[in-house]
Amino acid sequence: MEFRIQSAQLRPEEDRSELEAPSCGGYVSFEGWVRDRNEGQEVLKLEYQAYEQLATREGARILDEAAVKFPIENAVCVHRVGELEIGDLAVWVGVSSGHRDEAFRACRYIIDEVKQRVPVWKKEYYASGDSGWVNCEACATPGHSHG
Amino acid sequence: MKTLAIEYFAIFRDHAGTDKEILQTDADTPADLYTELTARHGFPELETVKVAINDEFGDWNTPLNEGDSVVFIPPVAGG
């Protein structure tokens, strides 16, 4: 089990090899990519920041929870920080297990919890020239709603 | 008076204009400290802010001690 934050480009093929085990019959991964728009605005690039000490702790707790809830063999999650371009890989989750069902469910659990709980922040830079921290600035605007 | 190490991230870093500072304060709890820093740096009103003390999630009413490191955590947006 490993959760880490890194500024270098993610290399899922390297982390994937850590998950291989003779007891595993299935492997599921999730890749989160930088998208070119959010809530109707054209996005040019993103900046991710992390509170690394606490992010690493909370991320490790999420992986441990996944292993308790679902009978998986191993799980790894890596989140990138720094400036990212459209199409870049921002977060990667990999899970291996004896059978596919628990790998799918654990992978889903991990990415959902990471997005809600791990202290990582994302600033979007828009084509309009504006920029803003997601979930902080847009939501402070009167009349803003999620579509 | 106690001395605290404050670290700022994301929107708080932008408003504070720095990523960390050493602060002399009379604030007894993170709640008091947040009020003090909001007044000083003009933090915006946010729905859910959490606090970490010495790199672990903490409670808003935990007494702060000399030398503690404190981080206020604005709404997260990983992934």
Side-chain angles (χ1 to χ4, degrees), chain B:
Chain B
M1 273 292 202
K2 58 179 79 67
T3 304
L4 303 174
I6 321 291
E7 197 169 356
Y8 297 105
F9 291 96
I11 195 165
F12 293 150
R13 182 178 293 184
D14 289 359
H15 281 264
T18 182
D19 59 348
K20 55 184 72 170
E21 65 181 331
I22 303 294
L23 189 74
Q24 305 276 333
T25 179
D26 286 321
D28 289 324
T29 64
D32 294 344
L33 180 63
Y34 189 69
T35 303
E36 179 183 328
L37 293 175
T38 297
R40 188 141 66 90
H41 296 306
F43 293 154
E45 233 177 83
L46 295 170
E47 266 183 33
T48 322
V49 176
K50 292 182 181 174
V51 62
I53 303 163
N54 301 327
D55 294 335
E56 195 46 271
F57 287 112
D59 188 274
W60 286 96
N61 296 312
T62 304
L64 291 170
N65 297 308
E66 171 70 26
D68 278 350
S69 75
V70 182
V71 177
F72 293 103
I73 300 173
V76 302

Side-chain angles (χ1 to χ4, degrees), chain A:
Chain A
M1 301 281 186
E2 185 191 10
F3 180 96
R4 65 174 196 276
I5 299 288
Q6 70 178 47
S7 54
Q9 200 173 6
L10 305 192
R11 305 243 176 247
E13 64 282 4
E14 291 173 13
D15 287 299
R16 179 190 180 283
S17 65
E18 283 178 39
L19 297 171
E20 292 169 359
S23 60
C24 290
Y27 157 80
V28 169
S29 70
F30 172 80
E31 296 192 357
W33 300 347
V34 177
R35 194 177 47 216
D36 69 353
R37 52 187 46 251
N38 191 25
E39 304 200 358
Q41 295 223 66
E42 189 184 347
V43 175
L44 300 180
K45 63 172 183 172
L46 290 186
E47 176 190 349
Y48 283 96
Q49 266 180 29
Y51 174 8
E52 187 168 344
Q53 296 91 332
L54 186 54
T56 305
R57 282 184 177 179
E58 187 70 354
R61 281 192 283 259
I62 291 168
L63 297 181
D64 287 344
E65 289 165 16
V68 169
K69 286 175 184 289
F70 311 102
I72 58 174
E73 177 71 26
N74 203 351
V76 173
C77 178
V78 192
H79 204 300
R80 200 168 163 204
V81 290
E83 281 200 6
L84 275 71
E85 306 290 331
I86 304 305
D88 280 351
L89 179 52
V91 60
W92 179 83
V93 182
V95 180
S96 59
S97 60
H99 301 278
R100 68 185 181 284
D101 186 51
E102 52 263 32
F104 275 110
R105 294 167 69 188
C107 188
R108 179 69 194 250
Y109 177 81
I110 291 165
I111 188 61
D112 287 352
E113 294 295 312
V114 164
K115 286 176 75 93
Q116 281 182 31
R117 289 164 49 187
V118 173
V120 172
W121 301 273
K122 163 165 62 183
K123 189 176 199 174
E124 293 178 331
Y125 291 84
Y126 305 109
S128 63
D130 287 345
S131 62
W133 291 99
V134 174
N135 295 341
C136 290
E137 291 174 291
C139 295
T141 308
H144 169 85
S145 65
H146 289 273

